[in-house]
Amino acid sequence: MKIGIVCYPTFGGSGVVATELGMALSKRGHEIHFITYKQPVRLEQLSSNIFYHEVNVPEYPLFHYQPYELALSSKLVDTIKLHQIELLHVHYAIPHAYAGYMAKKMLREEGIEIPMVTTLHGTDITLVGNHPFYKPAVTFSINKSDVVTSVSQSLKEDTLKLFDIKNEIQVIPNFITITKKENPYTECQRGLMAEDDEKIITHISNFRKVKRIDDVVKIFYHIQKEIKAKLIMVGEGPEVSSAKQLVNELGIEKQVMFLGESNEINKILCFSDLFLLPSETESFGLAALEAMINGVPVISSNAGGLPEVNKQGYSGYLSDVGDVENMAKNGVSILKDAKTLQNFKENAIKMATKFDINEIVPQYEDVYEKALKKC
Ligand code: GMT
Protein backbone atom coordinates (compact mmCIF):
# COMPACT_ATOMS: atom_id res chain seq x y z
CA MET A 1 0.00 0.00 0.00
CA LYS A 2 1.16 3.58 -0.60
CA ILE A 3 0.59 5.47 2.64
CA GLY A 4 1.04 9.17 3.41
CA ILE A 5 1.90 9.87 7.05
CA VAL A 6 1.43 13.35 8.50
CA CYS A 7 3.01 14.01 11.90
CA TYR A 8 5.07 16.39 13.99
CA PRO A 9 8.74 15.65 13.35
CA THR A 10 9.69 16.26 16.97
CA PHE A 11 11.50 14.36 19.72
CA GLY A 12 9.15 12.06 21.62
CA GLY A 13 5.39 11.58 21.63
CA SER A 14 3.21 11.36 18.56
CA GLY A 15 6.10 12.13 16.18
CA VAL A 16 8.05 9.11 17.40
CA VAL A 17 5.01 6.82 17.20
CA ALA A 18 4.29 7.96 13.62
CA THR A 19 7.92 7.59 12.56
CA GLU A 20 8.40 4.15 14.12
CA LEU A 21 5.10 3.01 12.60
CA GLY A 22 6.10 4.27 9.16
CA MET A 23 9.47 2.53 9.34
CA ALA A 24 7.84 -0.73 10.49
CA LEU A 25 5.25 -0.53 7.68
CA SER A 26 8.01 0.05 5.13
CA LYS A 27 9.75 -3.13 6.34
CA ARG A 28 6.47 -4.96 5.68
CA GLY A 29 6.57 -3.82 2.05
CA HIS A 30 4.45 -0.66 2.14
CA GLU A 31 5.59 2.54 0.47
CA ILE A 32 5.66 5.29 3.08
CA HIS A 33 5.58 9.03 2.44
CA PHE A 34 6.19 11.31 5.43
CA ILE A 35 4.72 14.75 4.87
CA THR A 36 5.79 17.29 7.48
CA TYR A 37 7.83 20.49 7.96
CA LYS A 38 11.13 18.82 8.98
CA GLN A 39 12.60 15.39 8.62
CA PRO A 40 11.28 13.34 11.58
CA VAL A 41 13.93 12.97 14.28
CA ARG A 42 13.87 9.18 14.45
CA LEU A 43 13.79 8.67 10.69
CA GLU A 44 17.35 7.40 10.72
CA GLN A 45 17.86 6.81 7.02
CA LEU A 46 15.80 7.00 3.92
CA SER A 47 15.33 3.57 2.39
CA SER A 48 14.01 2.64 -1.02
CA ASN A 49 10.39 2.69 0.12
CA ILE A 50 10.49 5.61 2.57
CA PHE A 51 10.11 9.15 1.28
CA TYR A 52 10.09 12.50 3.01
CA HIS A 53 8.25 15.51 1.59
CA GLU A 54 8.87 18.85 3.25
CA VAL A 55 6.04 21.29 3.81
CA ASN A 56 7.29 24.84 3.27
CA VAL A 57 5.35 27.83 4.51
CA PRO A 58 6.44 30.97 2.63
CA GLU A 59 6.70 33.92 5.01
CA TYR A 60 4.67 36.97 4.10
CA PRO A 61 4.74 40.09 6.31
CA LEU A 62 0.99 40.69 5.95
CA PHE A 63 0.30 37.53 7.91
CA HIS A 64 0.55 37.75 11.65
CA TYR A 65 0.28 33.92 11.63
CA GLN A 66 1.73 31.96 8.71
CA PRO A 67 -0.94 29.56 7.30
CA TYR A 68 0.63 26.10 7.90
CA GLU A 69 -2.68 24.21 7.38
CA LEU A 70 -3.02 25.77 3.92
CA ALA A 71 0.54 24.84 2.95
CA LEU A 72 0.09 21.32 4.36
CA SER A 73 -3.18 20.63 2.54
CA SER A 74 -1.71 21.91 -0.73
CA LYS A 75 1.39 19.75 -0.24
CA LEU A 76 -0.86 16.77 0.51
CA VAL A 77 -2.83 17.25 -2.70
CA ASP A 78 0.33 17.52 -4.82
CA THR A 79 2.14 14.60 -3.12
CA ILE A 80 -0.86 12.28 -3.19
CA LYS A 81 -1.34 12.91 -6.91
CA LEU A 82 2.35 12.68 -7.81
CA HIS A 83 2.97 9.40 -5.96
CA GLN A 84 -0.53 7.88 -6.29
CA ILE A 85 -0.77 7.62 -2.49
CA GLU A 86 -3.75 5.43 -1.56
CA LEU A 87 -4.30 6.34 2.09
CA LEU A 88 -3.55 9.18 4.48
CA HIS A 89 -2.71 8.55 8.13
CA VAL A 90 -2.61 11.71 10.22
CA HIS A 91 -1.12 11.71 13.71
CA TYR A 92 -2.33 14.36 16.18
CA ALA A 93 -5.65 15.93 15.25
CA ILE A 94 -4.49 19.55 15.26
CA PRO A 95 -4.19 20.74 12.56
CA HIS A 96 -3.40 17.52 10.68
CA ALA A 97 -6.90 16.03 10.54
CA TYR A 98 -8.28 19.40 9.49
CA ALA A 99 -5.68 19.86 6.71
CA GLY A 100 -6.11 16.22 5.67
CA TYR A 101 -9.86 16.66 5.30
CA MET A 102 -9.36 19.74 3.11
CA ALA A 103 -6.93 17.77 0.92
CA LYS A 104 -9.51 14.97 0.64
CA LYS A 105 -12.18 17.45 -0.48
CA MET A 106 -9.87 19.08 -3.05
CA LEU A 107 -8.90 15.68 -4.46
CA ARG A 108 -12.55 14.61 -4.67
CA GLU A 109 -13.13 17.56 -7.04
CA GLU A 110 -10.60 15.87 -9.35
CA GLY A 111 -12.21 12.43 -9.01
CA ILE A 112 -9.61 11.07 -6.55
CA GLU A 113 -10.92 9.41 -3.37
CA ILE A 114 -8.44 9.02 -0.52
CA PRO A 115 -9.37 7.62 2.89
CA MET A 116 -8.04 9.35 6.01
CA VAL A 117 -7.16 7.62 9.28
CA THR A 118 -6.74 9.96 12.26
CA THR A 119 -4.82 8.88 15.35
CA LEU A 120 -5.52 10.88 18.50
CA HIS A 121 -2.47 11.16 20.74
CA GLY A 122 -3.36 13.08 23.88
CA THR A 123 -2.88 16.80 24.19
CA ASP A 124 -4.72 17.25 20.86
CA ILE A 125 -7.77 16.15 22.89
CA THR A 126 -7.13 16.80 26.58
CA LEU A 127 -5.36 20.17 26.44
CA VAL A 128 -5.21 21.99 23.12
CA GLY A 129 -8.13 20.52 21.21
CA ASN A 130 -10.49 21.04 24.08
CA HIS A 131 -9.93 24.80 24.06
CA PRO A 132 -13.12 26.57 22.90
CA PHE A 133 -11.15 28.35 20.17
CA TYR A 134 -10.31 24.99 18.53
CA LYS A 135 -13.11 22.66 19.63
CA PRO A 136 -15.56 23.02 16.70
CA ALA A 137 -12.79 22.42 14.11
CA VAL A 138 -11.35 19.48 16.06
CA THR A 139 -14.80 17.88 16.51
CA PHE A 140 -15.51 18.37 12.81
CA SER A 141 -12.25 16.83 11.62
CA ILE A 142 -12.53 13.81 13.94
CA ASN A 143 -16.07 13.19 12.70
CA LYS A 144 -14.98 13.55 9.08
CA SER A 145 -12.11 11.05 9.38
CA ASP A 146 -12.80 7.66 7.77
CA VAL A 147 -11.34 5.80 10.75
CA VAL A 148 -10.32 7.23 14.13
CA THR A 149 -7.90 5.53 16.51
CA SER A 150 -6.70 6.51 19.96
CA VAL A 151 -3.56 5.37 21.74
CA SER A 152 -5.31 4.28 24.95
CA GLN A 153 -8.71 3.41 26.36
CA SER A 154 -8.41 6.40 28.66
CA LEU A 155 -7.91 8.77 25.72
CA LYS A 156 -10.91 7.25 23.93
CA GLU A 157 -13.06 7.89 27.01
CA ASP A 158 -11.76 11.47 27.33
CA THR A 159 -12.51 12.12 23.66
CA LEU A 160 -16.08 10.86 23.97
CA LYS A 161 -16.55 12.89 27.15
CA LEU A 162 -15.11 16.15 25.81
CA PHE A 163 -16.34 16.17 22.19
CA ASP A 164 -19.56 15.33 20.37
CA ILE A 165 -18.14 12.40 18.42
CA LYS A 166 -20.29 10.42 15.99
CA ASN A 167 -17.45 8.24 14.72
CA GLU A 168 -16.38 4.98 16.31
CA ILE A 169 -12.96 5.24 18.02
CA GLN A 170 -10.73 2.18 17.92
CA VAL A 171 -8.02 1.82 20.57
CA ILE A 172 -4.61 0.83 19.22
CA PRO A 173 -2.00 1.20 21.94
CA ASN A 174 1.43 2.64 21.35
CA PHE A 175 4.20 0.14 20.82
CA ILE A 176 7.86 -0.55 21.23
CA THR A 177 10.44 -2.08 18.96
CA ILE A 178 12.08 -4.94 20.78
CA THR A 179 15.53 -5.49 19.33
CA LYS A 180 18.84 -6.84 20.55
CA LYS A 181 20.19 -3.28 20.43
CA GLU A 182 17.69 -2.25 23.08
CA ASN A 183 18.43 -5.14 25.40
CA PRO A 184 19.03 -3.62 28.84
CA TYR A 185 21.96 -5.81 29.66
CA THR A 186 24.31 -4.72 26.89
CA GLU A 187 26.70 -1.82 26.48
CA CYS A 188 25.79 -0.07 29.73
CA GLN A 189 28.24 2.68 30.59
CA ARG A 190 27.06 3.70 34.04
CA GLY A 191 30.48 5.05 34.91
CA LEU A 192 29.84 7.99 32.58
CA MET A 193 27.09 9.28 34.82
CA ALA A 194 27.51 8.06 38.38
CA GLU A 195 29.76 6.44 40.96
CA ASP A 196 29.42 2.68 41.49
CA ASP A 197 27.44 3.14 44.71
CA GLU A 198 24.99 5.67 43.22
CA LYS A 199 21.61 4.91 41.66
CA ILE A 200 20.65 6.66 38.43
CA ILE A 201 17.18 8.19 38.20
CA THR A 202 15.98 9.55 34.86
CA HIS A 203 13.26 11.79 33.48
CA ILE A 204 12.67 12.33 29.75
CA SER A 205 10.07 14.70 28.35
CA ASN A 206 9.40 17.91 26.47
CA PHE A 207 9.51 19.84 29.77
CA ARG A 208 6.04 21.30 29.44
CA LYS A 209 3.84 22.27 32.40
CA VAL A 210 1.79 19.08 32.03
CA LYS A 211 4.89 17.01 32.92
CA ARG A 212 5.11 18.58 36.44
CA ILE A 213 8.88 18.98 36.24
CA ASP A 214 9.07 20.51 39.73
CA ASP A 215 7.59 17.26 41.06
CA VAL A 216 10.37 15.33 39.31
CA VAL A 217 12.97 17.43 41.18
CA LYS A 218 11.11 17.14 44.49
CA ILE A 219 10.72 13.35 44.22
CA PHE A 220 14.44 13.07 43.54
CA TYR A 221 15.22 15.43 46.43
CA HIS A 222 13.37 13.13 48.86
CA ILE A 223 14.91 9.95 47.42
CA GLN A 224 18.51 11.22 47.55
CA LYS A 225 18.11 11.91 51.27
CA GLU A 226 17.91 8.13 51.76
CA ILE A 227 19.75 6.66 48.77
CA LYS A 228 22.87 7.96 47.01
CA ALA A 229 21.65 8.90 43.55
CA LYS A 230 21.99 11.09 40.45
CA LEU A 231 19.12 12.57 38.43
CA ILE A 232 19.41 12.78 34.65
CA MET A 233 17.00 15.18 32.97
CA VAL A 234 16.66 14.67 29.22
CA GLY A 235 14.74 17.03 26.94
CA GLU A 236 14.09 20.69 26.31
CA GLY A 237 11.09 22.85 27.00
CA PRO A 238 9.65 25.84 28.83
CA GLU A 239 10.03 24.35 32.31
CA VAL A 240 13.79 23.71 32.15
CA SER A 241 14.84 27.01 33.71
CA SER A 242 12.42 26.80 36.66
CA ALA A 243 13.59 23.22 37.25
CA LYS A 244 17.23 24.39 37.32
CA GLN A 245 16.27 27.11 39.77
CA LEU A 246 14.57 24.59 42.07
CA VAL A 247 17.60 22.30 41.87
CA ASN A 248 19.77 25.24 43.04
CA GLU A 249 17.35 26.19 45.81
CA LEU A 250 17.40 22.62 47.11
CA GLY A 251 21.21 22.52 46.91
CA ILE A 252 21.34 19.38 44.77
CA GLU A 253 23.02 20.87 41.68
CA LYS A 254 25.96 18.42 41.87
CA GLN A 255 23.57 15.47 41.60
CA VAL A 256 21.35 16.69 38.76
CA MET A 257 22.38 16.74 35.10
CA PHE A 258 20.38 18.45 32.37
CA LEU A 259 21.36 16.81 29.09
CA GLY A 260 19.00 18.63 26.68
CA GLU A 261 17.47 16.78 23.72
CA SER A 262 19.09 13.48 22.89
CA ASN A 263 19.04 10.88 20.16
CA GLU A 264 20.58 8.36 22.56
CA ILE A 265 17.56 7.60 24.70
CA ASN A 266 18.22 3.85 24.82
CA LYS A 267 21.83 4.39 25.91
CA ILE A 268 20.70 6.67 28.74
CA LEU A 269 17.94 4.28 29.80
CA CYS A 270 20.39 1.39 29.67
CA PHE A 271 22.15 2.67 32.79
CA SER A 272 19.07 4.05 34.56
CA ASP A 273 17.62 2.43 37.68
CA LEU A 274 14.36 4.36 37.99
CA PHE A 275 12.22 6.51 35.68
CA LEU A 276 10.04 9.37 36.93
CA LEU A 277 6.86 10.48 35.13
CA PRO A 278 4.59 12.39 37.55
CA SER A 279 2.51 14.04 34.74
CA GLU A 280 -0.71 15.97 35.25
CA THR A 281 -2.19 14.19 32.21
CA GLU A 282 -0.69 11.51 29.98
CA SER A 283 -2.77 9.73 27.36
CA PHE A 284 -0.33 6.81 27.25
CA GLY A 285 3.19 7.66 28.43
CA LEU A 286 5.45 6.43 25.64
CA ALA A 287 8.52 7.59 27.60
CA ALA A 288 7.53 5.22 30.44
CA LEU A 289 7.20 2.33 27.98
CA GLU A 290 10.63 3.13 26.50
CA ALA A 291 12.07 3.08 30.01
CA MET A 292 10.39 -0.24 30.83
CA ILE A 293 11.68 -2.06 27.76
CA ASN A 294 15.15 -1.00 28.87
CA GLY A 295 14.52 -2.59 32.27
CA VAL A 296 13.81 0.63 34.14
CA PRO A 297 10.95 0.57 36.68
CA VAL A 298 8.61 3.57 36.58
CA ILE A 299 7.34 5.87 39.31
CA SER A 300 4.43 7.70 37.73
CA SER A 301 1.19 9.47 38.45
CA ASN A 302 -2.01 7.54 37.85
CA ALA A 303 -3.27 10.09 35.30
CA GLY A 304 -4.92 9.18 31.97
CA GLY A 305 -3.55 6.09 30.25
CA LEU A 306 -0.58 5.54 32.60
CA PRO A 307 -2.34 2.67 34.46
CA GLU A 308 -2.64 0.90 31.09
CA VAL A 309 1.17 0.95 30.75
CA ASN A 310 2.69 0.90 34.25
CA LYS A 311 1.42 -1.89 36.52
CA GLN A 312 1.12 -1.04 40.22
CA GLY A 313 3.65 -2.91 42.38
CA TYR A 314 4.98 -4.82 39.35
CA SER A 315 6.69 -2.60 36.76
CA GLY A 316 6.70 0.33 39.19
CA TYR A 317 4.20 2.34 41.23
CA LEU A 318 1.46 4.89 40.50
CA SER A 319 0.35 7.69 42.83
CA ASP A 320 -2.13 10.55 42.72
CA VAL A 321 -0.96 13.58 40.75
CA GLY A 322 1.17 15.81 43.01
CA ASP A 323 1.73 13.26 45.78
CA VAL A 324 5.51 13.62 45.65
CA GLU A 325 6.03 12.10 49.11
CA ASN A 326 4.28 8.89 48.09
CA MET A 327 6.18 8.78 44.79
CA ALA A 328 9.50 9.24 46.63
CA LYS A 329 8.59 6.56 49.20
CA ASN A 330 7.76 4.13 46.39
CA GLY A 331 11.00 5.02 44.61
CA VAL A 332 13.02 4.27 47.74
CA SER A 333 11.20 0.96 48.19
CA ILE A 334 12.29 -0.13 44.69
CA LEU A 335 15.88 1.10 45.00
CA LYS A 336 16.55 0.04 48.58
CA ASP A 337 17.94 -3.41 47.84
CA ALA A 338 19.46 -5.08 44.83
CA LYS A 339 17.02 -8.00 44.73
CA THR A 340 13.89 -5.83 44.77
CA LEU A 341 15.36 -3.58 42.09
CA GLN A 342 16.26 -6.58 39.93
CA ASN A 343 12.68 -7.94 40.24
CA PHE A 344 11.17 -4.64 39.21
CA LYS A 345 13.62 -4.34 36.31
CA GLU A 346 12.65 -7.78 35.01
CA ASN A 347 8.92 -7.08 35.48
CA ALA A 348 9.26 -3.78 33.64
CA ILE A 349 10.66 -5.61 30.62
CA LYS A 350 7.93 -8.28 30.80
CA MET A 351 5.20 -5.63 30.97
CA ALA A 352 6.73 -3.64 28.08
CA THR A 353 6.93 -6.66 25.78
CA LYS A 354 3.09 -6.69 25.76
CA PHE A 355 3.40 -3.63 23.51
CA ASP A 356 5.57 -5.33 20.90
CA ILE A 357 5.44 -3.45 17.58
CA ASN A 358 4.90 -6.75 15.73
CA GLU A 359 1.54 -7.16 17.49
CA ILE A 360 0.45 -3.58 16.87
CA VAL A 361 1.40 -2.87 13.23
CA PRO A 362 -1.05 -5.50 11.84
CA GLN A 363 -3.82 -3.71 13.78
CA TYR A 364 -3.03 -0.55 11.80
CA GLU A 365 -2.99 -2.54 8.56
CA ASP A 366 -6.50 -3.82 9.41
CA VAL A 367 -7.61 -0.25 10.04
CA TYR A 368 -6.20 0.80 6.64
CA GLU A 369 -8.19 -1.99 4.94
CA LYS A 370 -11.32 -0.82 6.76
CA ALA A 371 -10.70 2.79 5.69
CA LEU A 372 -10.09 1.80 2.06
CA LYS A 373 -13.42 -0.07 1.99
CA LYS A 374 -15.19 3.11 3.12
CA CYS A 375 -14.04 5.07 0.04
O1 GMT B 1 3.73 14.32 25.86
C1 GMT B 1 3.61 15.28 25.11
O2 GMT B 1 3.38 16.41 25.50
C2 GMT B 1 3.76 15.08 23.62
C3 GMT B 1 2.54 14.43 23.07
C4 GMT B 1 2.57 14.33 21.56
O3 GMT B 1 1.50 14.25 20.99
O4 GMT B 1 3.60 14.34 20.93
O5 GMT B 1 2.45 13.15 23.66
C5 GMT B 1 1.20 12.51 23.64
O6 GMT B 1 1.29 11.44 22.72
C6 GMT B 1 2.18 10.39 23.09
C7 GMT B 1 2.23 9.38 21.96
O7 GMT B 1 0.98 8.84 21.68
C8 GMT B 1 1.70 9.78 24.42
O8 GMT B 1 2.57 8.74 24.80
C9 GMT B 1 1.71 10.87 25.50
O9 GMT B 1 1.19 10.33 26.69
C10 GMT B 1 0.85 12.04 25.06
N1 GMT B 1 1.02 13.14 26.01
C11 GMT B 1 0.04 13.57 26.79
O10 GMT B 1 -1.08 13.08 26.80
C12 GMT B 1 0.40 14.68 27.71
Side-chain angles (χ1 to χ4, degrees), residues 12-14 17 92 121-123 151 174 206 211 281-286:
S14 57
V17 172
Y92 206 90
H121 278 274
T123 44
V151 299
N174 285 335
N206 52 18
K211 304 291 173 183
T281 71
E282 201 69 69
S283 69
F284 182 87
L286 187 64

Side-chain angles (χ1 to χ4, degrees), residues 87-90 115-119 145-149 367-368 371:
L87 179 135
L88 199 55
H89 187 174
V90 302
M116 179 171 77
V117 175
T118 298
T119 293
S145 302
D146 294 290
V147 178
V148 182
T149 73
V367 154
Y368 297 160

Side-chain angles (χ1 to χ4, degrees), residues 8 10-17 91-92 119-124 126-127 151 155 174 205-206 208 210-211 277 279-288 305-306:
Y8 285 106
T10 46
F11 284 90
S14 57
V16 164
V17 172
H91 290 261
Y92 206 90
T119 293
L120 310 173
H121 278 274
T123 44
D124 47 352
T126 53
L127 281 182
V151 299
L155 182 60
N174 285 335
S205 78
N206 52 18
R208 300 197 179 273
V210 69
K211 304 291 173 183
L277 196 62
S279 310
E280 183 85 37
T281 71
E282 201 69 69
S283 69
F284 182 87
L286 187 64
L306 281 168

Side-chain angles (χ1 to χ4, degrees), residues 230-250:
K230 287 264 166 64
L231 175 64
I232 303 179
M233 302 283 258
V234 185
E236 284 294 346
E239 297 295 301
V240 170
S241 50
S242 78
K244 285 184 178 166
Q245 200 181 322
L246 182 59
V247 165
N248 288 342
E249 279 165 22
L250 294 172

